[in-house]
Amino acid sequence: MTLISASKDSAIARISEIVANLWNGTSGFQARLNPDEMRELCSSIMLKHSTPEEVMEISDRELTRIINDVMAFEAMSGLLDGLAPEQIEKFDAAVAGR
């Protein structure tokens, strides 16, 4: 195993642990998210924008915040899918402050 793949494996393991902790501690995540998909998504996002070494240098607190934000966005993204057109119109009006 090369040093790069070992670093990548360590970064993915760290991200996976944070995803598991957040998923286990938040019922909203449990109800709406698949933990395996979240581990894959968060790892993909982090390693697309940072090297494994950079991921390992991020503080636990900051990396947890980043991953929590990604998971919260994913949990909320389909929330309005089940609304009827009239309900969406009311929602849009309320958000716009009308």
Side-chain angles (χ1 to χ4, degrees), residues 5 7 9 11-12 16 25 29 31-33 37-39 42 44 46-47 51 60 75-77 82 85 88 93-94:
S5 64
S7 295
D9 290 345
I12 291 171
S16 295
F29 289 162
R32 292 186 175 85
L33 301 175
E37 290 174 4
M38 286 299 97
R39 281 190 280 276
C42 290
S44 173
M46 291 304 300
L47 293 173
T51 65
D60 286 341
M76 298 298 290
S77 67
I88 292 174

Side-chain angles (χ1 to χ4, degrees), residues 14 31 34 51 72-74 77:
R14 183 171 181 226
N34 177 306
T51 65
F73 179 80
E74 286 296 312
S77 67

